Amino acid sequence: MTRIVTGSGRVTVLPLLHTWPDRYGLLAYTTSGAFGDTAIVAHVPTVDIPGMPLMDIAARHQPTRLYGSAGGTGFAEACWLMCVGWSGRLIRKPGTLELADAAWSLEVDATTKLFKTMYGHDQLHVGRITLADPELMARARTVVSRLTG
């Protein structure tokens, strides 16, 4: 059974190079919990890329070289994904969409509980995100179309 998490708040949507050299997908970063203790890093489905295996994408970037593997399965990959979302919010790429307050729902693919706080988060949910407002969802999908023409 699919687990659904819902929330609202600040959402950052940014392009993520999915397949080298020029295939981009959409990544969304937001938080949930009382103090944003849970990071949400999810893909925004598009016609061209309906799904992105985020933990696999993170693993291809060899995150254990930076974060180590002492935290158990998925720790380094979770940290890499949170870093991409967090830094994408702080230093925006051209075309990044910043939504100050948007309602969203997430189909959770995986949850990683961290053994220590990273980027202000204690755990990560990854999956497929949908913005509740269809107009905002349409705006989010234009982030990639601006890159690919």
Side-chain angles (χ1 to χ4, degrees):
M1 185 170 173
T2 303
R3 182 171 164 219
I4 304 292
V5 174
T6 60
S8 65
R10 185 176 175 190
V11 177
T12 305
V13 179
L14 58 133
L16 178 69
L17 186 58
H18 176 269
T19 307
W20 182 259
D22 60 359
R23 191 156 186 211
Y24 286 87
L26 284 176
L27 190 77
Y29 170 71
T30 190
T31 63
S32 69
F35 297 103
D37 58 341
T38 298
I40 309 291
V41 178
H43 71 274
V44 178
T46 62
V47 173
D48 293 340
I49 302 178
M52 286 177 24
L54 294 175
M55 294 299 272
D56 293 342
I57 291 169
R60 288 195 307 247
H61 287 85
Q62 301 178 346
T64 55
R65 297 177 85 191
L66 179 60
Y67 299 104
S69 59
T73 304
F75 173 77
E77 291 83 356
C79 290
W80 187 87
L81 287 167
M82 289 184 298
C83 179
V84 169
W86 182 80
S87 60
R89 175 174 283 175
L90 292 177
I91 303 168
R92 295 186 190 130
K93 293 179 176 183
T96 297
L97 178 62
E98 188 68 35
L99 303 170
D101 189 25
W104 51 266
S105 64
L106 175 75
E107 291 178 37
V108 178
D109 289 338
T111 299
T112 303
K113 294 186 186 287
L114 307 176
F115 75 96
K116 65 180 180 177
T117 302
M118 297 293 290
Y119 302 99
H121 308 298
D122 297 323
Q123 71 175 350
L124 168 72
H125 293 314
V126 295
R128 176 184 174 129
I129 198 166
T130 304
L131 301 175
D133 183 335
E135 197 172 301
L136 290 180
M137 194 68 180
R139 278 182 60 201
R141 288 186 171 127
T142 66
V143 170
V144 167
S145 65
R146 284 182 251 158
L147 288 172
T148 58

